[in-house]
Amino acid sequence: MTSTHEPKVVISGRGEDRVRSGHPWIYRTDVVDALAAGGDTVVVHNPRGRIVGRALFSDKSQIALRMLTVGEAPAGLDLWRTRLSAAIAFRRSLGIDATACRLVHGEGDLLPSLVVDQYGEHLVVQALSQGVARLLPEIVGLLVEQVKPAGILARNDVRVRQLEGLDSSVALLHGEVPELVHVREGRIDHAVDLWHGQKTGLFLDQRENRVAARAYAHGRMLDCFSYHGAFALQLADRCESVVALDVSEDAVGHIGRNAARNGIGNIEARVANVFDALRHLEREGERFDTVVLDPPAFAKSRDAVEKAHAGYKEINLRAMKLLRPGGILVTCTCSYHVDEASFGQIAYEASIDARARMTVVEKRMQSRDHPVVLGVPETYYLKCFILRKLA
């Protein structure tokens, strides 16, 4: 039974159907009544007064409720402790050949809007809703108890927090976190800036795709949108030479330092706008045996899908033209709004315009420590195709 003092939200029948289907999000349009404040953990009722479950409530976001439990089960600190323990144990069971991984992937671990990444002895957390923001001190305590990190950093500087009415900040929550942290990914050592780097420091969701791509890499390689060169570094020993492109001068500097740190001498890092650079390389008659396209999300909202489609097609078309026969294209999108079928269609249309016969070698997704939940398509955001050019 629910306490009379427990904050309460009533949802519509449509909202209840959504919960029963397994989706953890209830939108504001399906909230009938709310006797709660933003950030509360609430008991959720259907229109007939029956308990549907318990959830984190937001009074700002269009995602008003993020379900924690279904039915009568409570959603106190013991629930968070148990689910954190299960998430961490799962990562330990994966045998990841790296000292950096995602420990908690929000909805994928039944801990909605909480992200926890591990970099060696340090953790980076993101509180992406009002509810998790309020619970963060308790969550930090549980992480200290279970992981015993040297330090915990909050990277609460992501755009989604604005939709929750939360401020943007980076703050030390526990212990110490140095400016640079060294982690290993396979054979590669990375110096990671946890305080200022993109995402939480590294693109951990591409780790297994980098390993997969390494099996096919050969000859002359072009790495586009390279950032700190994670693909370039991982594939370099399989290639004669690597050209790594990024629009950021700071990122290109990191590529050079990371290459030197790992004793890799065949990477040339260039500051370049990739769209312009691909056209220029084509005009100059350059050819490559391996091309990697790992761009930022072109479609950050549904309204941007059409423009994103054109952008993805353009870079894939140019990359296919630059490939020699037998060459490998590793092409990715991290746009949730571009689903796998749509991305495959984009690659096909690009191949037609490039007059290139392409075969699918592998279709891949985000690394296993970023789980996808069946029935929750929002959790399947990263698509990676490894393609081979026939002619």
Side-chain angles (χ1 to χ4, degrees):
M1 297 294 291
T2 180
S3 165
T4 55
H5 301 295
E6 194 171 2
K8 171 183 172 181
V9 171
V10 179
I11 61 173
S12 68
R14 184 176 65 176
E16 182 180 13
D17 290 342
R18 189 170 172 84
V19 174
R20 302 299 180 198
S21 75
H23 204 293
W25 296 353
I26 303 299
Y27 291 98
R28 182 154 306 282
T29 51
D30 284 313
V31 171
V32 176
D33 191 21
L35 301 174
D40 282 348
T41 299
V42 301
V43 59
V44 180
H45 289 259
N46 68 12
R48 299 176 301 282
R50 298 191 63 174
I51 294 177
V52 176
R54 284 168 173 80
L56 301 174
F57 175 65
S58 172
D59 63 359
K60 300 292 185 184
S61 173
Q62 290 302 309
I63 305 172
L65 295 170
R66 298 172 190 265
M67 300 300 299
L68 293 168
T69 63
V70 176
E72 296 278 355
L77 197 59
D78 285 345
L79 177 81
W80 289 87
R81 177 181 287 107
T82 299
R83 290 186 178 172
L84 279 171
S85 177
I88 293 165
F90 172 63
R91 273 53 176 200
R92 302 302 184 234
S93 75
L94 293 176
I96 295 171
D97 185 19
T99 57
C101 72
R102 175 149 295 183
L103 285 186
V104 178
H105 188 56
E107 284 74 1
D109 289 295
L110 303 180
L111 293 168
S113 64
L114 173 65
V115 169
V116 183
D117 287 341
Q118 180 167 19
Y119 292 90
E121 296 182 333
H122 303 87
L123 302 181
V124 181
V125 302
Q126 292 181 321
L128 305 180
S129 71
Q130 294 176 343
V132 168
R134 183 186 294 185
L135 290 168
L136 198 54
E138 289 82 1
I139 291 170
V140 167
L142 294 174
L143 290 170
V144 171
E145 172 189 304
Q146 296 190 20
V147 184
K148 298 178 175 54
I152 300 178
L153 183 71
R155 282 295 302 271
N156 288 329
D157 54 349
V158 289
R159 178 181 172 273
V160 68
R161 281 176 56 93
Q162 298 174 18
L163 305 177
E164 293 279 332
L166 298 169
D167 63 354
S168 177
S169 65
V170 178
L172 184 67
L173 302 181
H174 169 77
E176 296 182 353
V177 176
E179 185 173 337
L180 288 178
V181 171
H182 287 264
V183 296
R184 180 186 59 79
E185 184 180 279
R187 45 184 275 283
I188 301 299
D189 175 82
H190 291 276
V192 185
D193 183 351
L194 302 184
W195 289 81
H196 307 101
Q198 291 189 31
K199 288 205 169 181
T200 60
L202 272 180
F203 289 90
L204 300 176
D205 50 9
Q206 287 279 29
R207 181 186 61 253
E208 293 174 356
N209 295 332
R210 289 189 279 267
V211 173
R214 187 171 179 275
Y216 307 104
H218 65 283
R220 191 177 183 218
M221 174 180 164
L222 177 65
D223 182 22
C224 302
F225 309 96
S226 191
Y227 187 46
H228 288 178
F231 267 106
L233 294 163
Q234 195 65 245
L235 276 56
D237 72 321
R238 303 276 298 185
C239 299
E240 297 164 9
S241 63
V242 180
V243 176
L245 306 178
D246 199 276
V247 73
S248 164
E249 190 170 341
D250 180 67
V252 167
H254 272 280
I255 297 170
R257 290 189 290 274
N258 278 332
R261 181 177 299 105
N262 287 277
I264 298 172
N266 65 339
I267 297 178
E268 178 192 353
R270 303 177 186 172
V271 178
N273 177 297
V274 170
F275 285 87
D276 295 339
L278 289 173
R279 287 190 289 267
H280 175 75
L281 290 167
E282 183 188 343
R283 285 197 301 269
E284 293 297 308
E286 300 270 20
R287 292 296 180 266
F288 297 87
D289 303 286
T290 305
V291 178
V292 175
L293 297 175
D294 184 22
F298 289 168
K300 293 185 178 180
S301 68
R302 196 172 299 278
D303 294 340
V305 168
E306 186 175 345
K307 185 176 180 181
H309 184 116
Y312 286 124
K313 181 181 175 182
E314 168 71 10
I315 59 175
N316 278 275
L317 185 159
R318 300 296 171 188
M320 290 172 185
K321 286 188 172 183
L322 290 172
L323 272 180
R324 293 190 181 102
I328 292 293
L329 171 60
V330 182
T331 181
C332 311
T333 174
C334 58
S335 299
Y336 151 67
H337 295 286
V338 178
D339 62 24
E340 182 183 301
S342 298
F343 194 51
Q345 182 66 23
I346 290 168
Y348 166 67
E349 292 174 6
S351 73
I352 294 298
D353 287 359
R355 298 181 180 179
R357 297 290 291 177
M358 308 294 297
T359 62
V360 179
V361 179
E362 292 191 38
K363 284 185 178 181
R364 303 186 57 84
M365 56 194 288
Q366 62 243 41
S367 299
R368 292 170 295 161
D369 49 350
H370 295 64
V372 171
V373 182
L374 291 176
V376 187
E378 293 85 354
T379 61
Y380 180 20
Y381 65 94
L382 178 59
K383 282 71 78 173
C384 174
F385 289 3
I386 300 178
L387 308 175
R388 179 174 179 267
K389 185 175 182 177
L390 296 179

